[in-house]
Amino acid sequence: MYAFLIPLLKIVVVMAGLFGAVPVLVYFERRIAAFIQDRLGPNRVGPMGLFQPLADAIKMIFKEDIVPDHVDRVLYVLAPVLAFVPPALAFAVIPFGHPIRLLGDRIDLAIAPAGMGVLFLLAVGSTSVYGIAFGGWASNNKFSLLGGLRSSAQMISYEIPLVLALVAVLMTAGTLDLGRIVAQQAEFHLGILPAWNLFHQPIAFLIFFIAAFAETNRLPFDLPECEPELIGGYHTEYSSMKFAMFMMGEYVAMISMSALLVTFFLGGWSFPGIDPTSTALLSGIASVVAFAAKVAAVLFVFMWVRWTLPRFRYDQLMNLGWKVLIPLALLNIMATGVVGVA
Amino acid sequence: MDDLIFTAASIVCFLSALAVVTRKNPIYSAVSLILFFGGLAVIFLLLRAPFVAGMQLIVYGGAILVLFLFVIMLLNLREEELGKEKGGRFKAFAAVAAGALALLVIVPVMAAETARDGFGPLASLPDGFGSVDHLGLALFTQFALPFEVTSVLLLAAIVGSVMLSKKHV
Amino acid sequence: MTKFKVNGKEYDAPAGTNLLQFCLDHQIYIPHNCYHPALTVAGNCRMCMVKGKGLDLRPGVMTSCTLSVREPGPKQEMLEIETEAPEVIKAREGVLEFLLINHPLDCPVCDQAGECYLQDYSFTYGKDRSRFVEPKNIRHTKDVGDHVKIWGNRCIVCTRCVRFCEEVVGTGELAVVERGDRNVVDNFPGLPMSNLMSSNTVDICPVGALLDKEFLYQARVWFMETAESVCPSCSVGCNTKVDTYQGAVKRFRPRENQAVNQWWMCDIGRYNHKFTAAPDRLGLPKRRGTTAAGAVEWTRCSLDGALGDVRTALDRVVHAEGGAAVAGLASAWMSNEELWLFKGLMADMIGARDLGLLTAPDGVRTTFKKGFVIESDRNPNRRGAAEILGRAAAERGLATVLDGIHAGRIKAALVIGGIPEWAPPPELVAALRKLAFLAVVDVADSPLAALAHLVIPGATWVEKDGTFTNAQGRVQRFTRALAPPGVAAAETELLQRLAAASAAGAPDATGAKVLSAQSVFGDLAARVAAFAGLNYHDIGTQGKLLAGATGAAAAAPAGAAASGG
Amino acid sequence: MDAAAPHDEPESPPAGEKPSLSEELYLPEILKGLATTFKHLIRPEKFTVEYPEKKKPIPQNFRGEHALKRDAQGRVKCVACFLCATACPSECIHITAGPTPPEWTDREKYPTKFEIDMLRCIYCGMCEEACPCDAIELTSKFYQVSETREEKYFGKDTLLRQPMKREYPDQG
């Protein structure tokens, strides 16, 4: 009974944190966008507009849920779910704190600490394209279809450099266990410099970072839904909560990607001052806070970049992916191998 | 627990595989195929082969089927373009052919398995079976030649398709 | 023929031809106010200045309306004029400046704006400001007749109206009173301009001095749409223009046709349009029923349903009791095409034996000094009805039908072609009341419609295309200026859909292909001897005479007016 | 430039300056851009005018809702000449003219009805230009809210009630 309760509790806490973060992110996205453009942004609902996401959510819930006549109903309804579930699933294996000992039991601060965690991430990540592709096709609308197809092509293309970048990291780490990857990064070089993979694998970090933007369809790679060309892209025909689920899927994907980036390159939950070998509750909480803070910082960069860079053209996007990132990632793997052998 | 999961995964696999060949709309066939690969990945996991399971999803579920869908969606066949159902004779022939193919798989498996002590538990596996290290070692030592030959074959296929699709070289 | 030159180009014309009229007829425009081809030349507006030489003319500019073509004497040069020479332009500018001295600058509120000679000339020859600083003369604004009001300030004393009343009407109510710069048109004391042609003075007034009291402030002329039509108010068939604005008839104007109405139309016809926008116009078919209490109750129904029911009812009576039990009454207000379709439907398809013609009662025949006539026959197409339905049916058909009803022989009837604002004779009402089935196609809720079991809305002549045959035997076209109200349709369409409604009674008449008036007229011309050789297109704007018609029965032909043009 | 390029790359840079190495690498330039946007992010002054509380001054020649002007005696100035309706490109002015009451000695024609379909109006101001009596004017009123379409069909009363340009409180 007790053994069953702990994972359940972890699931509830993590998912609640995840979904709770989405409206906060929406709020910050709007405020940051406004500030960067010398505007004020939402500041009417509640103090400093803090209840704006609540108003948005209520609006979304009460909007009429339209299913157009000409759509393929099964896939049309399935698509928002598929867009939303895979990014959320990724959190199943991400360690968000070091293990703690509670009531005499050792508890890993990850929902399912699996030895093959990276494989699981990649498998789940590879299915995230379907939500958008189905949404685009099922809408039975040429703009949606084009958006969906662009998105699938973009995601497959950028998945390759993403995985190749990770391969280099895995080569240095020598394991597929995310917990161990993080634990390795908790050490220090020369006593001060944290042993983050960012410093071991700067090129892999850069490739992963760029590919992460493309994988989450964020600007400057938001071609599947670029308004001047495709109206709304794959979610043109969606309304109400179905539309909201696409939006939430996008933000959850952003959080997952940031979490992965933090886990693989920025030392995960580790932070100078936190003893990785400790199993104390307080230290555990500190590690969770460190993890969240890092993720938040990466999320800020996501937004910051969005309001700085213009959108790529589709051929430029493909050129960057296939002609620059993939060869670069392959070279990186080779270099890593050579250094590792030497 | 394993039996329960295996039963569920097999049912999913069976039904989705059936749907792949019975759906008229190719999109639904492809969707069913994705579902089938999902079930297959679960069965691989049960067989203590997580790497193969992962690859199953990443390569087949995530990449190849997306390309399938790409083509189907771009063609975007409408009801009338799909044409009429083929006649009963064609279907009967297809069923017979499929049955024969199934026998080709089932008979050797049954023969091989019953030659040993039936469907026993997978307890007797060596430690680390199916892990990346294990697989990597096997591929790059014992099976290095077949592995490299296969990669050359794939390379030839890639070069060939590029040749075919380019109008003038 | 005499040779002369205009702007260096040589022309030929009979001696005595008015030079201004000749230039106007040959696309050489010379501005003019007081000249009108129907009236004697007054030469008082001084706008039609040209530079002339030759003959015994003194050098300089002179009015072209007073010049006529003459053979030069033995020592004289050929007559030669220039219409756009610099001194001519200067003279016109000067004249215009004088005309505008006392003319108010009230174009925005003047109803003539848009069709005002003075406005046009000011645009071409006027200065943008007046050099005249003294206060303008104020003259009277008053009613001068039943339909006409004068704004003395705007009058340029061209005397067109005075000459019109004198020469064309022969009553001479108007005169120029006062002297010098206080000159203005007025009627003789105690003699209001109440002749039946008085409203024509509004048309010929070149400025906004004489205006129509009924059209006053109704619409700006540039907003109106114009259709060429024919007046139905008497059998002369004056050619008219129908001006409409925002889907309503605003005014009628005469259209020149020397063989019929010269330039004019009478006040009776001109003001006979109010029924087109009357509140009792029918827009939807209606069916008579009875309430539980026994009172009459009308229910609206669809046009298809009503037409199908009419056809079914008539066919049923013919089937049960033979063609003698069904009668059809058309009116002399229907076009030739409608009468032809009516005859085809009732006599040939349904098999009715008796057809009759309804006519508006006769009025008084009036002849004016210069030959313009108002006929006593107040129907536009009695001649056409006689040719198409046959003389017997047109003259005695109605009596036969009434007798048949009273004798109990006729059980059902179709009455079509409502005469607007017409009081049907009591004996007709009494007879129709006896019928087992009566269908009425009318434009308004008339006494006849009140008797009907089914009422179908028709169109007035401004709402459809067609031809009338006037008393001379001249076939003249009128064109659609407006859409009929509601689902009402031209009788040509209603009759064709009645014909298409199946005899079995299925109320489906929607799919029927409806021929245009032009096509129906083609059929008519091919099948009725009197119309042989006529063609809808060739009728044109001036009409064509029936085969064998002399054209003598109406207005005196243009002979009397020929001196003008 | 090689005129006979076998295929033209869409992203080929325009003839002229060759991009420098840092521009070709993108990354330094992107970082520069990020620095710029960050400066704006932390910049305190913003351009937003918080509308209902603060209002921007409306320029003198702003074209808002129409007003019909009154003369010294408070009567409508319009003489129903239809020139505004004639000039109107969207045909949204509907006037019905009529003779003035007998006590109006200065003119004989005035609008018995004067309606503007504000939903059709494009606020071009041609009516104002065309008016010979300066009777119609486009005011500075721009907050045009109504709950029904009928309310946007302004009649003579509504138009006569509109504030005049110079009386408008927001006028600087």
Side-chain angles (χ1 to χ4, degrees), chain B residues 10-57:
Chain B
S10 335
I11 290 172
V12 167
C13 277
F14 183 75
L15 290 181
S16 55
L18 209 63
V20 171
V21 289
T22 51
R23 291 300 93 195
K24 201 175 169 195
N25 191 332
I27 289 276
Y28 281 105
S29 293
V31 173
S32 309
L33 201 54
I34 297 164
L35 201 58
F36 171 75
F37 285 136
L40 204 60
V42 172
I43 291 177
F44 275 127
L45 276 178
L46 287 178
L47 290 171
R48 310 287 183 267
F51 187 76
V52 182
M55 283 302 133
Q56 183 77 33
L57 275 182

Short mmCIF file of all heavy atoms in Angstrom, two decimals, chain B residues 10-57:
data_model
loop_
_atom_site.label_atom_id
_atom_site.label_comp_id
_atom_site.label_asym_id
_atom_site.label_seq_id
_atom_site.Cartn_x
_atom_site.Cartn_y
_atom_site.Cartn_z
N SER B 10 -0.65 -7.74 -26.17
CA SER B 10 -0.92 -8.59 -27.33
C SER B 10 -2.26 -8.25 -27.94
O SER B 10 -2.41 -8.23 -29.17
CB SER B 10 -0.93 -10.07 -26.97
OG SER B 10 -0.18 -10.31 -25.85
N ILE B 11 -3.24 -8.00 -27.07
CA ILE B 11 -4.57 -7.65 -27.62
C ILE B 11 -4.48 -6.37 -28.44
O ILE B 11 -4.98 -6.28 -29.57
CB ILE B 11 -5.60 -7.51 -26.47
CG1 ILE B 11 -5.87 -8.89 -25.86
CG2 ILE B 11 -6.89 -6.90 -26.99
CD1 ILE B 11 -6.71 -8.83 -24.61
N VAL B 12 -3.77 -5.39 -27.87
CA VAL B 12 -3.60 -4.13 -28.60
C VAL B 12 -2.92 -4.40 -29.93
O VAL B 12 -3.36 -3.93 -30.99
CB VAL B 12 -2.79 -3.12 -27.75
CG1 VAL B 12 -2.34 -1.95 -28.61
CG2 VAL B 12 -3.62 -2.63 -26.58
N CYS B 13 -1.85 -5.19 -29.89
CA CYS B 13 -1.10 -5.49 -31.11
C CYS B 13 -2.00 -6.18 -32.12
O CYS B 13 -2.03 -5.82 -33.30
CB CYS B 13 0.07 -6.42 -30.80
SG CYS B 13 1.50 -5.53 -30.22
N PHE B 14 -2.74 -7.18 -31.65
CA PHE B 14 -3.56 -7.96 -32.57
C PHE B 14 -4.62 -7.09 -33.24
O PHE B 14 -4.75 -7.06 -34.46
CB PHE B 14 -4.22 -9.11 -31.80
CG PHE B 14 -5.03 -10.01 -32.66
CD1 PHE B 14 -4.41 -10.92 -33.50
CD2 PHE B 14 -6.42 -9.94 -32.67
CE1 PHE B 14 -5.15 -11.75 -34.30
CE2 PHE B 14 -7.16 -10.75 -33.49
CZ PHE B 14 -6.52 -11.67 -34.31
N LEU B 15 -5.33 -6.35 -32.39
CA LEU B 15 -6.42 -5.52 -32.94
C LEU B 15 -5.87 -4.44 -33.87
O LEU B 15 -6.42 -4.20 -34.96
CB LEU B 15 -7.21 -4.87 -31.80
CG LEU B 15 -8.05 -5.85 -30.98
CD1 LEU B 15 -8.81 -5.09 -29.89
CD2 LEU B 15 -9.03 -6.60 -31.87
N SER B 16 -4.77 -3.82 -33.46
CA SER B 16 -4.26 -2.73 -34.31
C SER B 16 -3.71 -3.30 -35.62
O SER B 16 -3.87 -2.70 -36.68
CB SER B 16 -3.22 -1.91 -33.56
OG SER B 16 -2.19 -2.75 -33.09
N ALA B 17 -3.08 -4.48 -35.53
CA ALA B 17 -2.57 -5.08 -36.76
C ALA B 17 -3.71 -5.41 -37.70
O ALA B 17 -3.63 -5.20 -38.92
CB ALA B 17 -1.79 -6.35 -36.43
N LEU B 18 -4.80 -5.89 -37.09
CA LEU B 18 -5.98 -6.19 -37.91
C LEU B 18 -6.50 -4.90 -38.56
O LEU B 18 -6.86 -4.87 -39.74
CB LEU B 18 -7.06 -6.80 -37.01
CG LEU B 18 -8.02 -7.76 -37.70
CD1 LEU B 18 -7.24 -8.97 -38.22
CD2 LEU B 18 -9.09 -8.20 -36.73
N ALA B 19 -6.52 -3.83 -37.76
CA ALA B 19 -7.03 -2.55 -38.28
C ALA B 19 -6.17 -2.04 -39.42
O ALA B 19 -6.67 -1.43 -40.36
CB ALA B 19 -7.09 -1.53 -37.15
N VAL B 20 -4.87 -2.31 -39.34
CA VAL B 20 -3.97 -1.81 -40.41
C VAL B 20 -4.44 -2.33 -41.76
O VAL B 20 -4.50 -1.59 -42.74
CB VAL B 20 -2.52 -2.25 -40.14
CG1 VAL B 20 -1.63 -1.94 -41.34
CG2 VAL B 20 -1.99 -1.56 -38.91
N VAL B 21 -4.82 -3.59 -41.82
CA VAL B 21 -5.18 -4.15 -43.12
C VAL B 21 -6.65 -3.97 -43.44
O VAL B 21 -7.06 -4.11 -44.58
CB VAL B 21 -4.82 -5.64 -43.22
CG1 VAL B 21 -3.31 -5.79 -43.30
CG2 VAL B 21 -5.39 -6.43 -42.07
N THR B 22 -7.50 -3.68 -42.45
CA THR B 22 -8.93 -3.60 -42.76
C THR B 22 -9.41 -2.18 -42.97
O THR B 22 -10.44 -1.97 -43.61
CB THR B 22 -9.77 -4.23 -41.63
OG1 THR B 22 -9.35 -3.67 -40.40
CG2 THR B 22 -9.58 -5.73 -41.60
N ARG B 23 -8.70 -1.18 -42.42
CA ARG B 23 -9.19 0.20 -42.60
C ARG B 23 -9.10 0.60 -44.06
O ARG B 23 -8.10 0.27 -44.73
CB ARG B 23 -8.36 1.20 -41.77
CG ARG B 23 -8.51 1.13 -40.28
CD ARG B 23 -9.90 1.37 -39.82
NE ARG B 23 -10.61 0.10 -39.69
CZ ARG B 23 -11.91 -0.01 -39.58
NH1 ARG B 23 -12.66 1.07 -39.61
NH2 ARG B 23 -12.49 -1.18 -39.47
N LYS B 24 -10.11 1.31 -44.54
CA LYS B 24 -10.06 1.74 -45.93
C LYS B 24 -9.25 3.02 -46.09
O LYS B 24 -8.54 3.22 -47.05
CB LYS B 24 -11.50 1.99 -46.41
CG LYS B 24 -11.60 1.93 -47.92
CD LYS B 24 -13.03 2.06 -48.36
CE LYS B 24 -13.10 2.28 -49.85
NZ LYS B 24 -14.40 2.73 -50.27
N ASN B 25 -9.39 3.88 -45.08
CA ASN B 25 -8.66 5.14 -45.11
C ASN B 25 -7.21 4.89 -44.71
O ASN B 25 -6.94 4.42 -43.61
CB ASN B 25 -9.32 6.10 -44.13
CG ASN B 25 -8.80 7.51 -44.29
OD1 ASN B 25 -7.66 7.70 -44.70
ND2 ASN B 25 -9.63 8.49 -43.97
N PRO B 26 -6.24 5.17 -45.58
CA PRO B 26 -4.84 4.87 -45.26
C PRO B 26 -4.33 5.58 -44.01
O PRO B 26 -3.43 5.08 -43.35
CB PRO B 26 -4.08 5.32 -46.51
CG PRO B 26 -5.02 6.18 -47.27
CD PRO B 26 -6.40 5.75 -46.92
N ILE B 27 -4.91 6.74 -43.70
CA ILE B 27 -4.48 7.45 -42.50
C ILE B 27 -4.73 6.57 -41.27
O ILE B 27 -3.89 6.42 -40.39
CB ILE B 27 -5.25 8.78 -42.36
CG1 ILE B 27 -4.78 9.77 -43.41
CG2 ILE B 27 -5.08 9.34 -40.96
CD1 ILE B 27 -3.56 10.54 -43.03
N TYR B 28 -5.92 5.96 -41.26
CA TYR B 28 -6.26 5.13 -40.11
C TYR B 28 -5.38 3.90 -40.06
O TYR B 28 -5.01 3.42 -38.98
CB TYR B 28 -7.74 4.76 -40.13
CG TYR B 28 -8.60 5.88 -39.65
CD1 TYR B 28 -9.35 6.65 -40.52
CD2 TYR B 28 -8.63 6.20 -38.31
CE1 TYR B 28 -10.11 7.70 -40.08
CE2 TYR B 28 -9.39 7.25 -37.84
CZ TYR B 28 -10.13 8.00 -38.73
OH TYR B 28 -10.87 9.04 -38.27
N SER B 29 -5.02 3.38 -41.23
CA SER B 29 -4.10 2.25 -41.26
C SER B 29 -2.78 2.66 -40.61
O SER B 29 -2.23 1.93 -39.77
CB SER B 29 -3.85 1.81 -42.70
OG SER B 29 -5.02 1.27 -43.24
N ALA B 30 -2.29 3.83 -40.97
CA ALA B 30 -1.01 4.29 -40.43
C ALA B 30 -1.12 4.51 -38.93
O ALA B 30 -0.22 4.14 -38.17
CB ALA B 30 -0.59 5.58 -41.13
N VAL B 31 -2.24 5.10 -38.50
CA VAL B 31 -2.43 5.33 -37.07
C VAL B 31 -2.43 4.00 -36.32
O VAL B 31 -1.80 3.84 -35.27
CB VAL B 31 -3.75 6.08 -36.82
CG1 VAL B 31 -4.02 6.18 -35.33
CG2 VAL B 31 -3.68 7.47 -37.43
N SER B 32 -3.11 3.01 -36.90
CA SER B 32 -3.14 1.69 -36.27
C SER B 32 -1.74 1.10 -36.20
O SER B 32 -1.38 0.44 -35.21
CB SER B 32 -4.06 0.76 -37.06
OG SER B 32 -5.30 1.36 -37.27
N LEU B 33 -0.97 1.35 -37.23
CA LEU B 33 0.39 0.82 -37.26
C LEU B 33 1.23 1.43 -36.12
O LEU B 33 2.02 0.74 -35.48
CB LEU B 33 1.02 1.13 -38.62
CG LEU B 33 2.21 0.26 -39.03
CD1 LEU B 33 1.84 -1.20 -38.96
CD2 LEU B 33 2.67 0.62 -40.43
N ILE B 34 1.01 2.73 -35.88
CA ILE B 34 1.73 3.37 -34.78
C ILE B 34 1.36 2.68 -33.47
O ILE B 34 2.22 2.35 -32.65
CB ILE B 34 1.35 4.87 -34.70
CG1 ILE B 34 1.78 5.60 -35.97
CG2 ILE B 34 2.01 5.51 -33.50
CD1 ILE B 34 1.13 6.95 -36.12
N LEU B 35 0.06 2.47 -33.30
CA LEU B 35 -0.42 1.81 -32.09
C LEU B 35 0.22 0.42 -31.98
O LEU B 35 0.64 -0.02 -30.90
CB LEU B 35 -1.94 1.68 -32.18
CG LEU B 35 -2.67 1.49 -30.85
CD1 LEU B 35 -2.38 2.63 -29.92
CD2 LEU B 35 -4.16 1.35 -31.09
N PHE B 36 0.31 -0.25 -33.11
CA PHE B 36 0.89 -1.59 -33.12
C PHE B 36 2.35 -1.54 -32.65
O PHE B 36 2.78 -2.34 -31.82
CB PHE B 36 0.80 -2.16 -34.54
CG PHE B 36 1.56 -3.44 -34.71
CD1 PHE B 36 1.05 -4.63 -34.19
CD2 PHE B 36 2.77 -3.47 -35.38
CE1 PHE B 36 1.74 -5.80 -34.34
CE2 PHE B 36 3.46 -4.64 -35.53
CZ PHE B 36 2.95 -5.82 -35.00
N PHE B 37 3.10 -0.55 -33.14
CA PHE B 37 4.50 -0.45 -32.73
C PHE B 37 4.60 -0.15 -31.24
O PHE B 37 5.53 -0.62 -30.56
CB PHE B 37 5.21 0.64 -33.54
CG PHE B 37 5.52 0.22 -34.94
CD1 PHE B 37 5.30 1.06 -36.01
CD2 PHE B 37 6.02 -1.05 -35.18
CE1 PHE B 37 5.58 0.66 -37.29
CE2 PHE B 37 6.30 -1.46 -36.46
CZ PHE B 37 6.08 -0.60 -37.54
N GLY B 38 3.64 0.62 -30.74
CA GLY B 38 3.62 0.88 -29.30
C GLY B 38 3.48 -0.41 -28.52
O GLY B 38 4.24 -0.69 -27.58
N GLY B 39 2.50 -1.23 -28.94
CA GLY B 39 2.29 -2.52 -28.26
C GLY B 39 3.51 -3.40 -28.37
O GLY B 39 3.92 -4.06 -27.41
N LEU B 40 4.12 -3.40 -29.54
CA LEU B 40 5.30 -4.21 -29.78
C LEU B 40 6.45 -3.78 -28.86
O LEU B 40 7.16 -4.62 -28.30
CB LEU B 40 5.72 -4.05 -31.24
CG LEU B 40 6.54 -5.20 -31.82
CD1 LEU B 40 5.74 -6.48 -31.76
CD2 LEU B 40 6.92 -4.88 -33.26
N ALA B 41 6.55 -2.45 -28.68
CA ALA B 41 7.61 -1.94 -27.80
C ALA B 41 7.40 -2.47 -26.39
O ALA B 41 8.35 -2.85 -25.69
CB ALA B 41 7.61 -0.42 -27.81
N VAL B 42 6.16 -2.52 -25.95
CA VAL B 42 5.85 -3.02 -24.61
C VAL B 42 6.29 -4.49 -24.51
O VAL B 42 6.90 -4.92 -23.52
CB VAL B 42 4.36 -2.87 -24.30
CG1 VAL B 42 4.00 -3.57 -23.00
CG2 VAL B 42 4.00 -1.39 -24.21
N ILE B 43 5.98 -5.28 -25.56
CA ILE B 43 6.35 -6.69 -25.54
C ILE B 43 7.87 -6.85 -25.50
O ILE B 43 8.41 -7.67 -24.76
CB ILE B 43 5.73 -7.41 -26.75
CG1 ILE B 43 4.20 -7.46 -26.57
CG2 ILE B 43 6.28 -8.82 -26.89
CD1 ILE B 43 3.45 -8.07 -27.70
N PHE B 44 8.56 -5.98 -26.25
CA PHE B 44 10.04 -6.02 -26.20
C PHE B 44 10.53 -5.74 -24.79
O PHE B 44 11.48 -6.35 -24.31
CB PHE B 44 10.63 -5.00 -27.18
CG PHE B 44 10.77 -5.53 -28.58
CD1 PHE B 44 10.24 -4.86 -29.66
CD2 PHE B 44 11.46 -6.72 -28.81
CE1 PHE B 44 10.37 -5.34 -30.93
CE2 PHE B 44 11.58 -7.20 -30.09
CZ PHE B 44 11.04 -6.53 -31.16
N LEU B 45 9.86 -4.78 -24.13
CA LEU B 45 10.25 -4.46 -22.76
C LEU B 45 10.09 -5.69 -21.87
O LEU B 45 10.93 -5.98 -21.02
CB LEU B 45 9.41 -3.31 -22.22
CG LEU B 45 9.88 -1.90 -22.59
CD1 LEU B 45 8.92 -0.86 -22.02
CD2 LEU B 45 11.27 -1.65 -22.04
N LEU B 46 8.97 -6.39 -22.09
CA LEU B 46 8.71 -7.58 -21.29
C LEU B 46 9.78 -8.64 -21.55
O LEU B 46 10.10 -9.46 -20.68
CB LEU B 46 7.34 -8.16 -21.62
CG LEU B 46 6.14 -7.36 -21.08
CD1 LEU B 46 4.86 -8.01 -21.53
CD2 LEU B 46 6.21 -7.29 -19.58
N LEU B 47 10.33 -8.62 -22.76
CA LEU B 47 11.37 -9.58 -23.12
C LEU B 47 12.74 -9.11 -22.64
O LEU B 47 13.75 -9.62 -23.09
CB LEU B 47 11.37 -9.80 -24.64
CG LEU B 47 10.16 -10.55 -25.18
CD1 LEU B 47 10.15 -10.51 -26.69
CD2 LEU B 47 10.16 -11.98 -24.70
N ARG B 48 12.76 -8.09 -21.78
CA ARG B 48 14.00 -7.55 -21.22
C ARG B 48 14.89 -6.99 -22.33
O ARG B 48 16.09 -7.22 -22.36
CB ARG B 48 14.77 -8.60 -20.41
CG ARG B 48 13.93 -9.34 -19.38
CD ARG B 48 13.60 -8.43 -18.19
NE ARG B 48 12.86 -9.18 -17.17
CZ ARG B 48 11.52 -9.22 -17.12
NH1 ARG B 48 10.80 -8.56 -17.99
NH2 ARG B 48 10.93 -9.90 -16.16
N ALA B 49 14.26 -6.33 -23.32
CA ALA B 49 15.06 -5.73 -24.39
C ALA B 49 14.69 -4.26 -24.51
O ALA B 49 14.10 -3.84 -25.49
CB ALA B 49 14.81 -6.45 -25.71
N PRO B 50 15.04 -3.45 -23.49
CA PRO B 50 14.58 -2.06 -23.52
C PRO B 50 15.17 -1.26 -24.66
O PRO B 50 14.51 -0.38 -25.20
CB PRO B 50 15.06 -1.51 -22.17
CG PRO B 50 16.13 -2.44 -21.72
CD PRO B 50 15.80 -3.78 -22.29
N PHE B 51 16.40 -1.59 -25.05
CA PHE B 51 16.99 -0.82 -26.14
C PHE B 51 16.22 -1.04 -27.44
O PHE B 51 15.90 -0.09 -28.16
CB PHE B 51 18.46 -1.22 -26.33
CG PHE B 51 19.18 -0.35 -27.32
CD1 PHE B 51 19.58 0.93 -26.98
CD2 PHE B 51 19.43 -0.81 -28.61
CE1 PHE B 51 20.23 1.72 -27.89
CE2 PHE B 51 20.07 -0.01 -29.52
CZ PHE B 51 20.49 1.26 -29.16
N VAL B 52 15.90 -2.28 -27.70
CA VAL B 52 15.13 -2.57 -28.91
C VAL B 52 13.76 -1.90 -28.83
O VAL B 52 13.27 -1.33 -29.82
CB VAL B 52 14.99 -4.09 -29.11
CG1 VAL B 52 14.23 -4.38 -30.39
CG2 VAL B 52 16.35 -4.75 -29.14
N ALA B 53 13.17 -1.93 -27.65
CA ALA B 53 11.87 -1.28 -27.48
C ALA B 53 11.97 0.21 -27.80
O ALA B 53 11.15 0.77 -28.54
CB ALA B 53 11.37 -1.49 -26.05
N GLY B 54 13.01 0.82 -27.23
CA GLY B 54 13.20 2.25 -27.48
C GLY B 54 13.40 2.53 -28.95
O GLY B 54 12.78 3.42 -29.54
N MET B 55 14.25 1.71 -29.57
CA MET B 55 14.52 1.92 -31.00
C MET B 55 13.26 1.73 -31.83
O MET B 55 13.01 2.43 -32.81
CB MET B 55 15.61 0.94 -31.47
CG MET B 55 16.99 1.36 -31.04
SD MET B 55 17.38 3.01 -31.66
CE MET B 55 18.01 3.76 -30.20
N GLN B 56 12.47 0.72 -31.39
CA GLN B 56 11.20 0.46 -32.09
C GLN B 56 10.38 1.75 -32.16
O GLN B 56 9.87 2.13 -33.21
CB GLN B 56 10.44 -0.61 -31.31
CG GLN B 56 9.13 -1.05 -31.95
CD GLN B 56 9.37 -1.97 -33.13
OE1 GLN B 56 10.33 -2.75 -33.11
NE2 GLN B 56 8.56 -1.87 -34.14
N LEU B 57 10.27 2.42 -31.03
CA LEU B 57 9.47 3.64 -31.00
C LEU B 57 10.15 4.80 -31.73
O LEU B 57 9.52 5.53 -32.48
CB LEU B 57 9.20 4.05 -29.55
CG LEU B 57 7.99 3.38 -28.91
CD1 LEU B 57 7.80 3.90 -27.49
CD2 LEU B 57 6.73 3.66 -29.73
#
